[in-house]
Each structure stands twice: as structure tokens, then as C-alpha cells.
Amino acid sequence: FPGLADVSIPQDIPVEGEITVPVGSHSPDEDYSTLDEPVKDTIMRDLKAVGKKFVHVMYPRKSSALLRDWDLWGPLVLCVSLALMLQGGSADSKDDGGPQFAEVFVIIWFGAVVITLNSKLLGGTISFFQSLCVLGYCVMPLTVAMLVCRLVLLAGAGTISFIIRLIVVGAMFGWSTLASTAFLADSQPPNRKALVVYPIFLFYFVISWMILTFTPQ
Amino acid sequence: RAGGGGGAAGPGRAGADTVSARAQGGGSAVIDMENMDDTSGSSFEDMGEMHQRMKEEEEEEAEGEAGAGEEEDGEFLGMKGLRGQLGRQVADQMWQVGKRQASRAFSLYANIDILRPYFDVEPVQVRARLLESMIPVKMINFPQKIAGELYGPLMLVFTLVAILLHGMKTSDTIIREGTLMGTAIGTCFGYWLGVSSFMYFLAYLCNAQITMVQMLSLLGYGLFGHCITLFVTYNIHFHSLFYIFWLVVGGLSTLRMVAVLVSRTVGHTQRLILCGTLAALHMLFLLYLHFAYHKVVEGILDTLEGPNMPPFQRVARDIPVVSNAVLNTTAKAIALTL
């Protein structure tokens, strides 16, 4: 592979890891076993983790808690609720011009996968599922925007409501992009941040566009 | 890994080699499946457990009879269930080979590092290439350099998809079979990959010096002109403006692609074929994108709509006009019959 000799490797990222390998299952691990605890404890622990990540998205700070313990529950819930709310937004019931549930679902996950692959190919140090987790959680402001739009559309569909919806969706789009950039751009070499931010911008732009142009039946 | 390496040497020797590896005990990084406590009934675990027991018995026998020929004992344990032992060794062998093949296949196909060199760009380079894609080169007697980079073209295709979606939404296009998003992605990626492959094939026939990645890159950067044109004309609906943009912007990017191709081809006929095809496909695609996904002039639609509407796949809707036309026709029909 002579072409790979030109791949630039960042020099300032420390190499770290664990050298010991877990040997066998002989050690008594009653302290760490989570099999015997009541179901309520398990569920509460997972719910707390998901809730903590939601708070992190609300106030984006450069913390590594979101990245370290990734989980995909939050993104799944957000994606399903957004797809449900966006379903069937067309004036004709026979042939749909609005996005279907499957379409929104596929766009969100396929878009997140493409962005993750792109950031990995550009030399990112973040893992696949960590990136999916961050992108999924940062859809939350847009889900809130969808809720607000739906409520505003209940009141009427005039120019004023369009302006309100435009402002709300625009603000939430900016928030989503900023939040995900705060987490993801750190894992890139410093001079390539713009290359990673642009696909994220496009991704949230497409979702915002779907939300803004949603008209209920 | 030590056990696996020993297992590669054939069923007869597997016994003797893996004995020494496994005898080192639990301090290795190899997963010691024989010592697992749960008896889930999985055949591999049972096989491994029995295998280990056989090996231990084998080891005792081998140590007991010092000079008695270990290989023979390893293979034929006298009357002790010859078929069973061979069967277990074969199963063990197959398991190790399977594991090795699976990990090799995974590291081969799931390795995205193959694409890594094509994404090794800086933002300034991308910006420079975007601007260059609108400037036709003058020197066509010397082969022009094409950067084999895939980040810019990929982002341009996705941007074109986003712009198409915007255009389809603002013109209330209804897709009867399929979805808006699917159509947009299919059109843009289909054009980029399909036309690139076709042009690469033509270039191969015409002896042009261009590789597939370079062709993908060239055509992808040519889409920058399309993006600009469509972005402007989907928002400002003047047909004359579109035609001006089509000629100027589309023409500039086509000229650049054509000039680069010409510089890499020898012979007048070949140059003509290549450049004619590329220019035609590029300009026609922009025309197609504008007319198929955009508000058609209302006059054409009014005459075509009505009770005898032909089955269009994509129709731009204007509800009050349709209902008015239908109302008028029915009113006239009723008036005539009365």
C-alpha cells in the first residue's frame, strides 16, 4: 500500500489503554454482578443515564460523559417520536407528498452512519457507536421544535404561524448543530474541523427542512 | 493464538502441540473454553471440554511411556474410542479454521482504511478545488492534474440532494410511486456513479488517461455548477434567469471538465466522442433537474389537467385551479344536458 504512506497521523494524541487482559471467569464477582438486583434498579439506572445525557445536550459543555458511556436508547426514542409526528403531512391522502415513518427513520440513521464514516475517514478518534450516540441525542432540540410546530399549526396555518415556526426551527437547528459540534469536533485534528462540521450542518438542515415544511392533513 | 497455531499442523500433531499450550494454565490471553462452568449444551463447549479431558489423558499416557512414540499414541489411543477422538479433533480443527476465516473476512471487508487516502484533504484544498472547477484551463496539450479525492464530490452530491428536496417541496411535487427523499438520493447518486462509470468506460475505449477515482472526482466537482444554478433558480422563478445560468454556469463547469479530458486524450475522433458525450450529459442533467422537479409553467398544466388527465408520475399541483376547472366543466355539462 504505497498510497497509505501519506496518511497524516496526529502526533499529539497520547496513546493509552489497558495492558492487562481479563483472564477467566473464576474470580468471585458478586460485587459487580447485576443479575441479582431487582428489575426496578436496572431500569432506573438506565433511565438516569439517558436523562443525564439529555441534560448534557440541553447545556452543551465539553464533557466526556456523553462519549464514554454511549447508549442508543435516547436516539431511538427521539427518532421514533419525530417520525411519528412527521407522518403523513400531505394534503392528498391517496398519494403522499409528505415523509413516511420509514423514510424519516432511514434518513436519520443513514445520515448518522454517513457522518460517522466521514469523520472516521477524516482521521477522527471517536468510535462508531459513540458518534451515533451523540448525533442521535442532538436531534432532541429538533424534536422539541416539531412539538412546538405542531402546537402552532393547531392554532392556524397563516403567515404569522409560518414566521413563528421558521424562527423556532431555525433556533433549534442552530442549537443541534452547535451541540453536536461541541462533542464531535474535538475528536478531529484541529485544522479539519470544518470538514466534519459541514455534513452535520447538512444533516440537521434536511431534518429541519422536513419539520418546517410539514403541513398537517 | 498459541493453541490456534498448533492446531494448524494437522490432526495428528494437533494433540501433541496443543497439550503444551493448554498446559500453561489460566495465565494466557486465550479464552479457555474448557474451564467454563456453565453447561449450556453448546456443542463447541462440550467438544472443548471433552477435548481437554482427552488431551489430559493423552498427556499422562505420553509421559508414562517415555520412549514409546508419542505421535502414534496421539493418534491411536489403542482401544479407546478411536472414532470419537478423531471426530473431536476434526471438530476442533474446523472451529479454529472457521474462527480464523471469519476474522480475516471481517478485517478485509469492514476495513474502511481502503478509502482513507481519498479523504485526506484540508479545507483550503477543498475550497480551492471548488473554485477551480468553474475555471476552464487553457493548456490542453499537456495532461492536466486531477486530484483523486472523494470528500468534495461526496459532499457536493449530498448538497445537491438537499437542494433538490427544497425544490420539490416548494413546488409541491407529488411523487406517486416512491418517496421524495428516495427519488432525490437516487437521482443524484445515480447520476454521479452511473455517468462516471459510463464515461470511464468510454475513456477506456478512447484511450484516455484517466482512472475511475479521478473520473468520479472530476464529475463530482462539476456538480458545483449545478448546485449554484439550482439553488438560485429554485428560489427566484424566472425562466430566462434559469437559461442564463444554465448557459453560463453550466457551460463553465462543462468547459473545465471537457478541457481536462481533452488534455488527457490523443486523437481528434476520440476527443470529440468523449467531450461531446460529457457535455451533452452534463447540460441535459441540469435541464432535467430544473424541469422535472420545479414548478412547470401554469398554462401548460391548466390545459392538461381536467377529467382526462394523463397519468403523470410527477405532477405539480395547484388545487384551486384544478377544482375551478372541474367545477366549470361539470357546470357546463349539467347546463348542456338540461
Side-chain angles (χ1 to χ4, degrees), chain B residues 257-279:
Chain B
M257 289 199 295
V258 156
V260 169
L261 261 187
V262 157
S263 75
R264 289 174 162 250
T265 318
V266 180
H268 282 297
T269 325
Q270 287 95 326
R271 282 179 169 182
L272 203 60
I273 295 176
L274 267 183
C275 304
T277 327
L278 184 60

Side-chain angles (χ1 to χ4, degrees), chain A residues 3-4 6-8 21 23 25-26 91-92 95-100 103 107 110 114 117-118 120-124 191-192 194-196 198-199 202 205-206 209 213, chain B residues 26-30 35-37 112-113 115-117 119-123 126 151 155 158-159 162 165-166 169-170 173-176 178-182 185 317 319:
Chain A
L4 282 180
D6 294 333
V7 170
S8 55
V21 175
V23 166
S25 47
H26 285 308
D92 199 21
D95 7 58
D96 294 285
Q100 300 295 307
E103 191 178 359
I107 288 173
F110 180 66
V114 165
L117 282 179
N118 175 58
K120 279 184 85 70
L121 282 171
L122 283 173
N191 51 342
R192 293 208 185 159
L195 296 183
V196 175
Y198 179 67
L202 255 187
F205 180 79
V206 168
W209 190 247
T213 58
Chain B
S28 68
V30 175
N35 294 331
M36 269 186 177
D37 285 327
I112 61 168
D113 283 333
L115 290 176
R116 209 177 272 268
F119 280 76
D120 191 15
V121 288
E122 307 289 319
V126 175
Y151 173 82
M155 287 306 130
F158 279 122
T159 312
L165 272 183
H166 168 54
K169 275 287 188 179
T170 51
T173 313
I174 307 265
I175 308 282
R176 285 184 200 269
T179 60
L180 275 179
M181 193 73 194
I185 289 186
R317 288 174 50 122
I319 299 178

